[in-house]
Amino acid sequence: MGKKVKWSWTSAALGAASAVAATAILAAKPKDPHFDLISINFTSFKLNLPVLDAELILTVHITNPNITPIHYSSTTMSIFYQGSLLGSADIEAGSQSAKSCKMLRLPARLDGLQLAQHASKFLSDVAKREMLLDASVDIGGTAKVLWWDHRFKVHVDSRVTVDPVFLDVIDQENRSELDVFA
């Protein structure tokens, strides 16, 4: 009735190696980074009659959930109000360690003329103390896996509700999409 099964160290080692390889592949699957706008701070106002241009600093918290460090190139984030380009924020080239968080301070410029074109909506937003802004950015770079650099591109769309009086971030929704090129 009982057939004796011969134990093999080779089979056990192959099974363990397969399990470790499968776990490594699942853990190495690229994951989308996370972006959160923490604060907005005005740095200056410039009077360009008849409108006022503003410069500010956006503090953004970025999380790299991947098991590889990344290096990214400089780019520009576009900021929209009511579908019109309101301004931009510069992102300098840099890097981020694997499974880490980082705070970036992004200098931004807002065009008062674009805001003036939506003056009635802006005044309504100030009265209710909620202003909806959209932002979009494409960030390209490389991630080093073993000896190879893999190029990637992350597209981020953000919808942020801010208090236009005190510039507090009330709510935000961020969507990122990661493309890795072989």
Side-chain angles (χ1 to χ4, degrees):
M1 181 154 39
K3 201 176 189 185
K4 192 169 185 178
V5 178
K6 186 175 179 182
W7 175 260
S8 168
W9 281 104
T10 304
S11 295
L14 279 172
S18 297
V20 168
T23 302
I25 288 171
L26 290 174
K29 179 183 175 198
K31 298 170 188 75
D32 290 348
H34 305 282
F35 300 87
D36 290 306
L37 178 62
I38 304 300
S39 66
I40 303 170
N41 296 311
F42 273 108
T43 56
S44 71
F45 291 105
K46 293 182 181 173
L47 184 59
N48 292 335
L49 291 175
V51 295
L52 189 69
D53 291 339
E55 292 183 3
L56 43 102
I57 299 289
L58 306 175
T59 304
V60 179
H61 181 260
I62 301 174
T63 303
N64 176 13
N66 296 295
I67 62 170
T68 61
I70 60 170
H71 303 279
Y72 52 89
S73 59
S74 60
T75 189
T76 301
M77 176 182 6
S78 300
I79 303 167
F80 300 92
Y81 178 66
Q82 296 295 307
S84 297
L85 182 64
L86 178 61
S88 62
D90 296 323
I91 301 172
E92 293 183 11
S95 63
Q96 186 163 348
S97 304
K99 296 203 175 270
S100 67
C101 299
K102 187 175 189 178
M103 294 288 244
L104 289 182
R105 295 175 52 81
L106 309 176
R109 293 171 305 285
L110 300 181
D111 184 359
L113 183 59
Q114 290 298 325
L115 197 57
Q117 291 178 357
H118 301 284
S120 62
K121 176 64 176 151
F122 177 68
L123 292 174
S124 169
D125 288 348
V126 169
K128 67 180 179 183
R129 299 207 34 204
E130 278 190 9
M131 180 178 182
L132 188 62
L133 298 172
D134 293 306
S136 180
V137 66
D138 288 310
I139 303 169
T142 59
K144 189 167 194 143
V145 180
L146 298 175
W147 301 275
W148 299 281
D149 284 339
H150 295 278
R151 289 184 315 113
F152 68 87
K153 182 179 96 174
V154 177
H155 177 79
V156 181
D157 287 315
S158 298
R159 177 158 275 198
V160 181
T161 305
V162 298
D163 177 344
V165 177
F166 294 112
L167 296 178
D168 293 330
V169 177
I170 298 169
D171 189 26
Q172 63 184 298
E173 178 184 332
N174 300 301
R175 287 171 292 155
S176 59
E177 186 175 311
L178 174 67
D179 291 322
V180 180
F181 305 108

